[in-house]
Amino acid sequence: MADLLTDSQFELFRKLIYDASGITFSDNNRSILDSRLKERLREKKLTDVEEYYRLVNADGNEFKAFLDSITTNLTRFFRNQPHFDALIKYVVPHVIENKKRNGETKIRIWSAGCSTGEEPYTIAMLLKDKLPAPYSFDIMASDISLKSLLIGQQGFYPTSRVAGVPREYLDRFFTKNEKGYQVKSDLMNSVHFDYHNLRHDSGARNLDIVFCRNVLIYFDEPAQKATIDRFYRSMAQNSYLFIGHSESLFGMDTKFQFLKTEWACLYQKNE
């Protein structure tokens, strides 16, 4: 097999990936696609790129495995602490005030692009600790990577992966063994993991809080806009959207309102 994809092969796979997921590969990250394709060819014991292209078009499971292989799953517990400060000190109190007016007690949250689960479990720990009675919460956690979702569902993390978790939370929400830390069942039961491609509508509605951090950077502008519009439709009135600190909706035609709090910047749906 050649060291690099031909230009025509690169275009075939780039279009296939974009049409399915919205993820954009440019000439700058072409080498990443090339290396991930080589891994899949070795796995399937194939030598011809175009034969693999035919395979992913014919086999839905292999296509999911291929998309899994090209995604980046960099995450950690309490990543970008100011977002979680804003969540607890600003967003949750405002959501609760809105719930009081509506006579509701359930807060609905979506961690979109949740990777291996550190983000939704971080949110769950904070809400278990800080959310006052009689309020409860439900977290939907989704990703396009089946391997990452499996790790999140299992809830086991090596010691190196829990470095950002406060000691009191480690003691309260995890069970330690010789290999690492297992999330306790009470916390695991508050997070529901599911496969979802952000290219499509999730079907969720009336969400109070959406986290989608460091995902939009892999999309081009039309795919970003379509994803943001789908988030907007899935969210309740007076709800809140967190995106990555290096991401922005500036210049995008969106109904979300920019919100600068004392702790972090985020977006609000407030028609």
Side-chain angles (χ1 to χ4, degrees):
M1 185 178 66
D3 290 338
L4 293 171
L5 291 164
T6 66
D7 290 345
S8 61
Q9 290 168 345
F10 177 57
E11 288 300 326
L12 280 175
F13 279 98
R14 178 160 69 171
K15 185 177 187 305
L16 179 69
I17 294 164
Y18 179 78
D19 289 345
S21 68
I23 296 172
T24 301
F25 275 88
S26 65
D27 289 335
N28 291 334
N29 55 13
R30 177 171 172 165
S31 61
I32 297 173
L33 176 57
D34 181 74
S35 65
R36 304 297 165 80
L37 274 169
K38 288 178 181 177
E39 292 172 6
R40 294 310 304 160
L41 264 64
R42 283 195 295 270
E43 177 75 19
K44 305 306 290 186
K45 296 181 170 56
L46 297 174
T47 57
D48 180 35
V49 170
E50 293 186 13
E51 184 180 358
Y52 184 72
Y53 180 80
R54 291 190 292 271
L55 174 63
V56 294
N57 276 282
D59 185 336
N61 288 330
E62 179 55 31
F63 187 48
K64 284 186 176 181
F66 171 58
L67 286 180
D68 194 332
S69 74
I70 64 171
T71 55
T72 302
N73 299 305
L74 176 64
T75 187
R76 64 179 183 273
F77 287 99
F78 292 89
R79 185 182 187 186
N80 194 359
Q81 180 65 44
H83 276 171
F84 298 111
D85 292 338
L87 172 70
I88 294 302
K89 297 175 182 178
Y90 183 93
V91 170
V92 168
H94 281 78
V95 168
I96 287 176
E97 283 302 311
N98 191 52
K99 295 290 180 186
K100 286 180 180 177
R101 289 193 292 270
N102 296 331
E104 299 175 1
T105 58
K106 173 82 75 172
I107 297 176
R108 300 173 182 86
I109 303 162
W110 182 11
S111 171
C114 68
S115 188
T116 45
E118 285 90 336
E119 178 181 271
Y121 283 134
T122 296
I123 298 168
M125 284 187 279
L126 286 167
L127 293 182
K128 287 276 189 185
D129 188 30
K130 306 293 187 183
L131 193 63
Y135 297 95
S136 61
F137 66 93
D138 183 73
I139 300 176
M140 174 176 70
S142 70
D143 203 273
I144 201 172
S145 168
L146 292 170
K147 286 189 295 187
S148 296
L149 287 170
L150 183 60
I151 292 171
Q153 287 173 328
Q154 292 173 338
F156 179 80
Y157 300 93
T159 302
S160 61
R161 295 282 291 276
V162 300
V165 181
R167 169 51 60 183
E168 62 183 291
Y169 283 6
L170 277 177
D171 294 341
R172 179 176 171 184
F173 297 115
F174 293 81
T175 301
K176 188 180 187 307
N177 62 35
E178 66 276 7
K179 293 183 179 180
Y181 288 81
Q182 175 65 51
V183 178
K184 291 182 179 179
S185 59
D186 182 51
L187 193 71
M188 291 183 70
N189 291 338
S190 66
V191 180
H192 310 286
F193 290 92
D194 197 10
Y195 177 88
H196 178 66
N197 184 338
L198 290 174
R199 193 70 160 168
H200 308 297
D201 192 323
S202 68
R205 294 295 182 268
N206 295 315
L207 295 165
D208 299 297
I209 302 165
V210 173
F211 276 74
C212 184
R213 303 189 299 168
N214 308 305
V215 175
L216 296 176
I217 53 175
Y218 298 104
F219 298 167
D220 67 1
E221 288 186 14
Q224 289 178 353
K225 172 71 163 58
T227 301
I228 290 299
D229 287 347
R230 282 189 285 272
F231 284 148
Y232 193 88
R233 289 193 295 272
S234 73
M235 294 169 67
Q237 179 64 282
N238 298 312
S239 53
Y240 298 86
L241 171 68
F242 289 84
I243 61 176
H245 68 88
S246 63
E247 299 169 322
S248 172
L249 304 187
F250 180 75
M252 186 182 296
D253 181 18
T254 173
K255 295 179 181 178
F256 280 107
Q257 298 176 6
F258 178 75
L259 178 62
K260 185 175 182 180
T261 73
E262 179 182 340
W263 304 274
C265 297
L266 57 148
Y267 294 86
Q268 183 178 17
K269 176 178 178 178
N270 184 14
E271 294 176 321

